[in-house]
Amino acid sequence: MIVSHFMKKKVVSIGAKATIQEAAAKFVKQHVGELPVVDDEKKPIGIVNLRDMLSLELPDFVRFVEDVDFVHDFGAVETTRPTADLLVRPITVLMQPVIPVDENCGLLRAYALMLQHNLLDMPVVNKAGKLVGIVSRVDIGTAILALWPGVESKKS
Amino acid sequence: MMVPTILTSIIFLATLWLIFSEKLDRTITGIAGAVLMVGLGKLFGFYSEVEAIKAVDFNTLGLLLGMMILVALLEPTGFFQYLAVLAGRLSKGHPVRLLVLLGAITTVLSMFLDNVTTVVLIAPVTILISEILGVDPVPYLITEALLSNTGGVATLVGDPPNVLIGSAANLSFDDFLIHSLPIVVVAWIVVLFLLRYLFRNELAVKPRNSRAVMKLNPAEALEDRKMAQRVLIVLGAAILVFFFHSRLHLSPSFVALSAAAAALLWVRPNMREMLQRVEWNVLLFFAALFVMVGGLEAAGVLEIIVKALEHVSVIPPVLFGVALIWIIGILSAFVDNVPITIAMIPVIQGLGASGVNIDPLWWALVFGAGFGGNGTIIGSTANIVVVTLSEKTRTPITAKLWNRIGFPAMFSACAVSSILYVLVYPLL
């Protein structure tokens, strides 16, 4: 049971030279939660997720307040949009380090890596290090559950 | 006695250099330096383990530990958050009113509680409120740090240097209220007006949304009302007893530790979690510095310094005090004021033994060490906290911006305290 059997082969990625605005457009158009950032040879150099993008709308300080129960209206934050000069900056400023997984990696090892690094998606690479797919926690998790006795036959 | 004098001085200066240059964690440096000092003392026979333990001022450590436990109990209740949200509502979204309210709350809290904890808990809510209003959080954050540093100078328990000086000079809680508080109140008002002026452009910006701030609910910000009430009752009682502690022949550390014990008995928190919020590294650092200064004293280094300073008695004592405010103030702007204070205490005591009237000098040390911390970002931990938090916002505070605001604030507080020091000198 290896990762490449369960990954999505049609993977949406973005080039390292793209701007934040271009990345946002891609998130919206493709309706995805994460975008691997690749170099000219299609090798992943990082990953951007929706949370990193949204930190421009609602900065990280919210996490320093013990809880936000007492805030019922975010007031001016609701209408604050990232400025034009911020949007033309390269996407690499928001990028996180990527943890790619080899296409021949076993399912449990991939799941263990996801747990440890708290990931929702992992880019899958071939021997040459090129991006060949993306696998989510749901892809891996359901593939493992399907191995449980009697689960596959009850699927219908 | 020449070799030990030179060696202990080298150890002490090397330790100070490591602490000030921040090349190594200050507590690690302190412990290593203290052990070296005792080792040297045993080798040359001028200092021993027993004397090292005697050199530790347990009155200072006990007072700090007691107050740290009370703060550690108050921290998770959401009380600080409650006050900041209340300030936001009461300001009705008016920038200057918000600045004064948040500044005043931070000051009053830091007069009795640790400045750093106060700022750590108030600053995130401040950023949230300014984001909701649609204004720049920078003026509010800098004001909170500067006013909490300034307010802490007013009381015996407000600032670690005060605890140290109070213990060494046997100054009581009301000595601080009589001698320090009035001068601090004047300095505080001057600094507030200065901030109002320096931030005049930022504060003139009309908030984009001042209605949303009225929808904040302080009651929801208070996470554990019962626990907050209990800790505040104990804290209030402790402050009340502080007023009379010298007449009751109780040491400040006994009062603080009794309050901590009472609060612990009443609240019965999860001890492991509570103890994690106590700043053990600070207590260890203090203990290590005490051991080192004890070594310097035993090796005769301080005697040499005091001899060298004997000619200062030809300078008018008033001028000497004013000079002390500025020298300690400028030093404290760039380096940690705790080692400076611990090193200055035996020097002043030595001057006292040689016949100088040192009572006013203690107050000069209090003002210099306290107000100096405003000058630069690294001058106090509260400054570092707000700057670090501001990096998570749209407008991070730069060193250049800090110096434009903090340096005039430090200068005016030192100037005000110098003028008042000269005027009320006969009373000090």
Side-chain angles (χ1 to χ4, degrees):
Chain A
M1 297 300 260
I2 55 171
V3 161
S4 61
H5 296 164
F6 301 96
M7 70 184 188
K8 293 178 199 76
K9 291 204 173 74
K10 191 180 158 266
V11 46
V12 187
S13 64
I14 191 154
K17 290 184 193 110
T19 63
I20 294 178
Q21 198 168 40
E22 285 160 351
K26 205 152 207 172
F27 271 108
V28 174
K29 189 169 172 233
Q30 306 287 345
H31 204 75
V32 288
E34 293 198 295
L35 275 183
V37 183
V38 292
D39 62 10
D40 294 338
E41 293 172 14
K42 278 269 169 203
K43 287 184 183 163
I45 56 163
I47 194 157
V48 187
N49 60 41
L50 268 181
R51 203 175 120 175
D52 302 324
M53 299 291 286
L54 287 170
S55 70
L56 301 179
E57 174 90 11
L58 187 64
D60 246 6
F61 66 83
V62 170
R63 290 195 296 124
F64 292 103
V65 183
E66 269 179 44
D67 73 299
V68 286
D69 292 353
F70 59 89
V71 186
H72 295 277
D73 181 347
F74 272 88
V77 191
E78 312 251 10
T79 50
T80 306
R81 302 286 172 252
T83 52
D85 53 328
L86 190 62
L87 289 175
V88 295
R89 293 177 69 189
I91 189 62
T92 42
V93 298
L94 290 180
M95 192 171 80
Q96 305 276 349
V98 68
I99 298 156
V101 62
D102 189 273
E103 56 184 342
N104 293 316
C105 174
L107 281 186
L108 267 184
R109 182 181 138 79
Y111 181 64
L113 283 171
M114 281 187 153
L115 266 189
Q116 190 160 37
H117 300 282
N118 204 11
L119 305 170
L120 294 174
D121 294 283
M122 279 174 110
V124 182
V125 293
N126 62 14
K127 275 245 151 46
K130 283 188 186 169
L131 186 69
V132 292
I134 192 157
V135 68
S136 71
R137 196 181 277 200
V138 178
D139 295 333
I140 293 179
T142 51
I144 295 171
L145 290 192
L147 298 172
W148 288 9
V151 171
E152 195 66 18
S153 60
K154 287 206 164 59
K155 212 165 77 176
S156 54
Chain B
M1 275 310 265
M2 213 41 213
V3 180
T5 318
I6 295 169
L7 286 178
T8 48
S9 309
I10 292 174
I11 294 178
F12 191 68
L13 290 175
T15 317
L16 284 188
W17 180 76
L18 278 173
I19 294 169
F20 294 155
S21 64
E22 284 166 20
K23 289 202 186 300
L24 191 60
D25 175 90
R26 63 177 193 169
T27 310
I28 298 177
T29 314
I31 292 174
V35 170
L36 264 178
M37 200 68 102
V38 177
L40 213 61
K42 287 176 75 76
L43 196 66
F44 288 94
F46 65 88
Y47 199 39
S48 68
E49 292 96 327
V50 178
E51 285 166 296
I53 297 290
K54 268 194 203 146
V56 176
D57 181 1
F58 284 99
N59 190 33
T60 294
L61 296 186
L63 177 50
L64 287 172
L65 177 62
M67 297 311 284
M68 281 177 185
I69 291 177
L70 290 176
V71 173
L73 288 172
L74 197 55
E75 217 182 301
T77 63
F79 177 68
F80 294 80
Q81 197 167 268
Y82 166 82
L83 288 180
V85 172
L86 197 64
R89 271 193 75 123
L90 290 177
S91 75
K92 298 198 173 91
H94 188 279
V96 177
R97 206 178 296 163
L98 182 65
L99 187 89
V100 175
L101 281 169
L102 284 174
I105 285 173
T106 325
T107 307
V108 173
L109 287 173
S110 57
M111 279 167 71
F112 301 103
L113 303 169
D114 178 41
N115 293 7
V116 179
T117 316
T118 310
V119 170
V120 162
L121 296 171
I122 300 271
V125 188
T126 305
I127 300 175
L128 188 66
I129 293 174
S130 20
E131 282 277 342
I132 290 174
L133 285 172
V135 295
D136 186 359
V138 168
Y140 307 96
L141 291 177
I142 295 186
T143 300
E144 281 168 2
L146 295 182
L147 292 182
S148 97
N149 291 337
T150 309
V153 184
T155 66
L156 172 68
V157 295
D159 234 356
N162 292 8
V163 177
L164 288 164
I165 297 164
S167 177
N170 214 1
L171 300 170
S172 67
F173 193 80
D174 28 317
D175 285 331
F176 270 85
L177 294 187
I178 295 163
H179 295 100
S180 185
L181 181 68
I183 292 181
V184 171
V185 169
V186 179
W188 190 88
I189 294 170
V190 170
V191 172
L192 184 64
F193 273 99
L194 179 78
L195 290 167
R196 166 77 183 89
Y197 172 74
L198 292 173
F199 286 124
R200 61 194 179 282
N201 295 333
E202 288 87 341
L203 294 173
V205 175
K206 206 172 154 8
R208 281 191 286 133
N209 192 336
S210 45
R211 269 175 301 113
V213 90
M214 299 308 291
K215 290 186 198 156
L216 289 172
N217 186 351
E220 280 173 321
L222 194 59
E223 312 223 329
D224 190 337
R225 177 183 294 269
K226 206 164 146 196
M227 184 164 160
Q229 277 171 348
R230 290 180 175 180
V231 182
L232 286 171
I233 289 171
V234 175
L235 185 66
I239 292 170
L240 206 65
V241 180
F242 272 136
F243 282 107
F244 307 104
H245 78 90
S246 54
R247 261 164 281 170
L248 295 169
H249 301 289
L250 299 173
S251 70
S253 67
F254 179 77
V255 178
L257 286 170
S258 309
L264 286 171
L265 277 171
W266 203 5
V267 173
R268 271 171 261 158
N270 176 331
M271 274 308 269
R272 188 187 283 265
E273 277 174 26
M274 194 284 294
L275 290 177
Q276 268 175 358
R277 288 193 294 270
V278 171
E279 291 164 87
W280 299 105
N281 55 336
V282 173
L283 297 176
L284 270 174
F285 176 60
F286 274 55
L289 283 176
F290 283 132
V291 171
M292 270 195 281
V293 173
L296 283 182
E297 217 167 350
V301 177
L302 298 175
E303 219 172 294
I304 296 170
I305 297 176
V306 170
K307 276 225 174 74
L309 279 174
E310 255 168 15
H311 67 266
V312 301
S313 42
V314 298
I315 305 175
V318 186
L319 272 187
F320 187 61
V322 172
L324 199 63
I325 295 180
W326 287 93
I327 293 169
I328 301 295
I330 290 167
L331 275 176
S332 303
F334 296 98
V335 296
D336 195 340
N337 58 13
V338 167
I340 298 178
T341 310
I342 292 185
M344 277 309 291
I345 283 171
V347 174
I348 294 183
Q349 281 169 335
L351 285 173
S354 69
V356 179
N357 173 21
I358 54 170
D359 290 349
L361 290 185
W362 293 122
W363 299 111
L365 185 58
V366 166
F367 299 136
F371 296 140
N374 279 343
T376 65
I377 292 179
I378 55 166
S380 89
T381 320
N383 304 357
I384 298 174
V385 168
V386 298
V387 171
T388 314
L389 278 173
S390 85
E391 280 160 11
K392 298 281 177 196
T393 69
R394 295 171 225 268
T395 45
I397 299 171
T398 58
K400 201 174 143 197
L401 173 63
W402 190 283
N403 297 343
R404 186 171 73 81
I405 310 294
F407 197 75
M410 165 195 154
F411 186 86
S412 44
C414 283
V416 167
S417 56
S418 299
I419 294 167
L420 293 174
Y421 187 84
V422 174
L423 290 178
V424 300
Y425 183 79
L427 303 173
L428 288 169

